Amino acid sequence: MKNFLRNFRKIAGFPFVFLIIMILFLGITLGTAGSVASFGKSFELQFSTDTNWSWVVFEVSAPKTVDEDGKEKDMDVRLHDVYISLGQIYSSEATASLELQWGSTGTEADNFFRLSKMKTAVVHNPYHVPEEGAEETKPKDSENHVYDAAYRWIAPFGVTELEETSSYRVMSSPKYFKLVLPKVGNKYQSSNILVNEIVFIGEVYKDSKGTGEYVVLPAKIDARTYVPDADREAGMARAETLIDAQKMPVVSESSYYRFGEEEQKILHTVAEMRMGNSFVPGDTYVGDTTYNSLGLDLACLGTLIFGMSPFGLRFFNVLASFGILVVGFFFVRRLFSGSDKAGLSFAIIYALCGVSVSLAHIASPIMLGVFFLLLSLSACYRFYASGMKKPLARETIPLLVSGLAGALAILVNGAFLIPVAGVVVLFGFGVAKQYKKDRLVLDEAIEFAEAERAKGIPAISEDGVESEGNKKVRTALKARSYDMAASIAVFVCSLDLALFVLSILFALPAIYAVGKIYYGIAGASPNIFWVVIRLFFAGFRVSGANGWNYLYPVFTGSGDKYAVTLGMMNFTASLLGLLGIAFAVYRIVKLAKNKTPFTGYVSVMIPLVGLAVSLLTGAFAGGSVAFVFLANLFAFMLVAGGGELFQEEGAKQAKAVFIVKIVALALLVACFALTAVFTFSVPLPAWFMGKIF
């Protein structure tokens, strides 16, 4: 076993314990990220100015089953309810209305539904801005009065209660439903609505009694649908998206199935990106106004791979959280003299701090920016610590990675420009250190060449043979010239050119959405450079968009049983972070007392300066929670390195540090377990939640 672990460590480059931490962390975060149930593509239900209504008609029938004789027949089902998922309300009005009409007749008259049953649902617009001086109260959901309706399943029409006649007990023939934007008083509403999906649910009956088993009823678009498209065939194809992902609705009040408020803004933007240039004059578009193009593109890409589902929207955020764990381990290990124990200490605190999991479970690109920034810093520090050993192209790879990762961090949120500037400063120190190293080699070569001259050995003999000393001088000069030119060129080009080129490329998928949200015009109209600049400056905002408090609410449900998901820092991890800062101060004082050269301060100063810069940036950055989280990561690094340095000072300190580590680990696990229901969004009874919050 010892040989296996030794060989594994040699091949993989990290201890077996860290492998276990990696697997557990990735499995838990991916497994709890959210449901893969998707809404499918969306359809904008529009008010038409040339007719009384814009509508979609559905023909709903019973699902098929097989009887005892093996013959196909209609299943005995009764309509239970109609569930619908809405997206954005394209209006600045306080409310919008949807009307559902239904009947069983097959008449060809377009207005046959007017004589049938109907129910209106009123949906509140969360982005409505009340008039100055007016107070607006947040109403509670009621039977057909819905406030928080975006991107979740609601059943606001109360179909079941209105079905009292025997003809509706069992679906013996197709039923017809019309979804329409109705009149409000004597005028037509101007609020077009994005509809993600509509699902008709039936209860299975046996011997004229309900079984409590529910099924999705097959639905198709009826030819009497009206869509205000010049190309009717294309309009009918768009209407088909209302029933393109027919799945049983899940109404659990947990972030595993539902989206938080910040995620809804991301979804509004993603929905517009996926709908392309479908601009409707008069519509009011809203969406995310905090993050740069790459963050939005990756959120959209996740939905293209896994659908418009919680898992799809959060997928890349989860991978970024896992990437922080891996990059952080190697960075801390290198930062503190190759200590596996320091890297493991960081990894354990990070995995159990709670926020690393809960922030991975929201779709805003918080973790993506932190990951790219940490990768940039880690790669740049590798150059600073090791330099370029030989004048070869492969020696510049860390600088290439650092510059590219720094550019990607800025393309997630423009405010990452500030900490990336700190990486540039570290690069400058690395160049200076490399210059001194190359200068020392050159001086030694010159000294050797001068010694040859003293012995009468010419630089080049009469037969053209170059002396050893002259070769060393020429090689050293060439190496110094290459090291300076290559390191600066690779880092500057990878950072600046990648930022310039990629900012344009990543802005292209978002140009339509940006045109709608920021400018209120068709997406192709804005100049691409205006789009790039607008997305970059979105990251700078006094009092960041999502702020920060110790219990940062990621998601809050409602109802008799609901979950609250919190971005809550583990209390023990917070105390350890403060301990890390205290260690840094102690270490700096001790180094100054011993008159240690500048290089001795680096392992402590990098995390300490990073912590200060992160908090400073968070003071005026949109998405400030990302920078406060980053500050905590730097504090964890100081804790991890502090323990190892104290252990090196003597047996007494080593024993004390070991005891502190055991106690800290136990407290970390205990606090993580106590807050697990809020980390993993477990629904609890409302009366219990009321006592806590």
Side-chain angles (χ1 to χ4, degrees):
M1 185 64 178
K2 288 183 178 180
N3 290 334
F4 169 75
L5 294 177
R6 189 182 302 110
N7 292 335
F8 172 83
R9 180 176 174 179
K10 184 177 180 181
I11 296 172
F14 51 84
F16 188 76
V17 175
F18 181 62
L19 175 66
I20 302 300
I21 295 174
M22 286 171 54
I23 294 173
L24 288 175
F25 186 83
L26 182 61
I28 291 172
T29 49
L30 277 177
T32 58
S35 170
V36 295
S38 171
F39 293 125
K41 295 181 180 179
S42 303
F43 171 80
E44 182 176 353
L45 191 63
Q46 300 175 19
F47 165 74
S48 175
T49 57
D50 57 348
T51 64
N52 290 341
W53 289 278
S54 167
W55 63 73
V56 180
V57 179
F58 305 90
E59 179 186 309
V60 181
S61 57
K64 301 295 183 181
T65 187
V66 178
D67 62 16
E68 296 177 355
D69 298 327
K71 296 181 179 180
E72 189 177 67
K73 68 170 186 175
D74 288 340
M75 184 182 293
D76 291 336
V77 292
R78 176 180 181 269
L79 179 68
H80 174 67
D81 219 329
V82 179
Y83 285 82
I84 191 168
S85 169
L86 304 178
Q88 185 173 166
I89 298 174
Y90 294 112
S91 170
S92 58
E93 299 294 325
T95 62
S97 298
L98 274 173
E99 188 171 275
L100 186 70
Q101 305 169 9
W102 61 95
S104 58
T105 178
T107 178
E108 294 298 324
D110 284 341
N111 65 347
F112 76 99
F113 289 102
R114 297 292 295 158
L115 303 176
S116 302
K117 298 182 179 182
M118 64 188 70
K119 190 69 177 290
T120 301
V122 178
V123 182
H124 286 261
N125 184 358
Y127 305 106
H128 167 66
V129 180
E131 295 181 3
E132 187 176 353
E135 293 186 6
E136 185 175 37
T137 58
K138 179 177 178 179
K140 295 182 179 179
D141 290 355
S142 60
E143 178 188 340
N144 66 327
H145 215 77
V146 185
Y147 182 84
D148 186 13
Y151 300 100
R152 71 177 178 112
W153 289 111
I154 57 175
F157 299 113
V159 172
T160 303
E161 296 179 5
L162 299 179
E163 302 301 349
E164 298 175 351
T165 62
S166 59
S167 62
Y168 283 88
R169 292 294 183 186
V170 175
M171 293 185 63
S172 57
S173 60
K175 303 295 184 293
Y176 295 88
F177 295 81
K178 178 194 280 188
L179 188 65
V180 59
L181 297 179
K183 272 187 176 182
V184 180
N186 293 322
K187 66 176 184 178
Y188 300 105
Q189 70 174 24
S190 58
S191 302
N192 296 334
I193 301 177
L194 189 68
V195 184
N196 300 315
E197 196 80 10
I198 185 168
V199 178
F200 302 87
I201 302 299
E203 182 181 8
V204 178
Y205 266 61
K206 187 175 183 180
D207 299 329
S208 301
K209 294 182 180 180
T211 62
E213 178 186 351
Y214 300 97
V215 294
V216 175
L217 303 179
K220 61 181 180 180
I221 303 297
D222 187 81
R224 286 163 292 191
T225 292
Y226 174 80
V227 285
D229 290 60
D231 185 346
R232 176 167 173 77
E233 185 176 346
M236 292 295 287
R238 286 196 310 109
E240 290 284 349
T241 61
L242 286 169
I243 52 173
D244 63 343
Q246 297 285 282
K247 294 182 176 63
M248 183 65 67
V250 178
V251 295
S252 173
E253 292 289 316
S254 165
S255 62
Y256 187 84
Y257 297 101
R258 282 193 54 193
F259 299 98
E261 182 178 345
E262 188 174 351
E263 289 180 308
Q264 290 175 12
K265 290 184 179 181
I266 299 287
L267 275 171
H268 290 326
T269 304
V270 168
E272 298 309 323
M273 290 172 68
R274 295 183 61 167
M275 293 184 71
N277 200 20
S278 58
F279 179 79
V280 179
D283 279 0
T284 300
Y285 295 90
V286 298
D288 172 76
T289 55
T290 299
Y291 294 99
N292 208 338
S293 55
L294 177 59
L296 299 176
D297 288 349
L298 289 179
C300 187
L301 178 60
T303 65
L304 292 175
I305 299 173
F306 299 103
M308 291 281 281
S309 64
F311 184 84
L313 200 64
R314 300 164 185 164
F315 175 70
F316 286 103
N317 228 26
V318 172
L319 292 187
S321 183
F322 173 71
I324 293 170
L325 175 72
V326 177
V327 173
F329 168 81
F330 286 105
F331 177 51
V332 173
R333 186 174 71 170
R334 178 177 292 273
L335 194 63
F336 294 100
S337 305
S339 171
D340 282 341
K341 292 181 180 179
L344 281 174
S345 296
F346 170 84
I348 291 171
I349 299 173
Y350 173 80
L352 294 174
C353 73
V355 183
S356 59
V357 177
S358 53
L359 291 187
H361 290 174
I362 61 174
S364 60
I366 287 174
M367 290 300 204
L368 292 167
V370 175
F371 166 71
F372 287 125
L373 187 279
L374 193 60
L375 179 61
S376 177
L377 177 61
S378 177
C380 189
Y381 180 75
R382 179 168 183 170
F383 165 73
Y384 172 83
S386 302
M388 296 179 63
K389 298 177 181 179
K390 296 180 180 179
L392 299 174
R394 66 170 181 264
E395 294 292 323
T396 63
I397 291 178
L399 292 175
L400 177 66
V401 173
S402 180
L404 182 59
L408 293 177
I410 297 171
L411 290 175
V412 170
N413 185 323
F416 275 102
L417 176 68
I418 307 301
V420 168
V423 177
V424 174
V425 172
L426 179 62
F427 166 73
F429 283 122
V431 170
K433 185 179 178 182
Q434 181 68 40
Y435 178 83
K436 289 181 180 179
K437 177 182 174 182
D438 290 343
R439 181 68 214 187
L440 180 62
V441 173
L442 178 60
D443 289 343
E444 291 177 351
I446 292 174
E447 185 178 345
F448 185 85
E450 289 177 347
E452 284 186 334
R453 303 290 190 282
K455 295 178 181 179
I457 302 176
I460 300 177
S461 62
E462 294 180 357
D463 53 357
V465 178
E466 186 178 18
S467 69
E468 187 68 23
N470 203 62
K471 287 181 181 179
K472 287 186 176 183
V473 172
R474 183 167 50 83
T475 302
L477 285 170
K478 182 179 179 182
R480 187 180 68 166
S481 175
Y482 180 87
D483 289 349
M484 293 299 101
S487 59
I488 294 174
V490 169
F491 182 78
V492 172
C493 290
S494 62
L495 178 60
D496 294 345
L497 290 182
L499 188 59
F500 178 76
V501 175
L502 294 181
S503 63
I504 296 175
L505 291 178
F506 291 148
L508 290 175
I511 189 171
Y512 293 136
V514 170
K516 300 174 190 179
I517 295 169
Y518 287 101
Y519 301 99
I521 56 177
S525 298
N527 181 288
I528 184 64
F529 293 104
W530 276 111
V531 172
V532 169
I533 293 171
R534 189 66 186 84
L535 288 172
F536 169 75
F537 281 106
F540 294 89
R541 185 176 307 161
V542 177
S543 297
N546 44 32
W548 173 264
N549 53 54
Y550 195 77
L551 302 179
Y552 172 65
V554 175
F555 168 84
T556 302
S558 60
D560 296 332
K561 191 177 183 180
Y562 64 90
V564 173
T565 310
L566 298 173
M568 180 169 56
M569 181 62 68
N570 187 317
F571 180 71
T572 304
S574 298
L575 291 179
L576 288 174
L578 294 175
L579 185 64
I581 296 173
F583 155 74
V585 175
Y586 163 80
R587 188 69 178 174
I588 291 172
V589 171
K590 187 174 181 180
L591 291 173
K593 184 178 180 180
N594 295 335
K595 298 182 180 180
T596 305
F598 172 77
T599 54
Y601 291 83
V602 173
S603 62
V604 176
M605 289 301 298
I606 287 179
L608 194 60
V609 172
L611 188 155
V613 170
S614 299
L615 291 177
L616 177 65
T617 308
F620 56 82
S624 60
V625 65
F627 299 98
V628 178
F629 174 63
L630 180 61
N632 278 279
L633 295 188
F634 286 124
F636 297 162
M637 294 176 191
L638 293 172
V639 176
E644 301 315 306
L645 290 175
F646 270 118
Q647 280 188 313
E648 294 174 1
E649 292 190 358
K652 188 175 181 180
Q653 290 87 340
K655 186 176 181 180
V657 169
F658 177 77
I659 295 173
V660 170
K661 283 184 176 181
I662 296 299
V663 173
L665 179 60
L667 290 175
L668 276 170
V669 173
C671 288
F672 185 85
L674 287 173
T675 58
V677 292
F678 306 115
T679 300
F680 298 108
S681 197
V682 179
L684 296 173
W687 64 265
F688 181 76
M689 288 295 194
K691 291 182 180 295
I692 299 177
F693 300 100

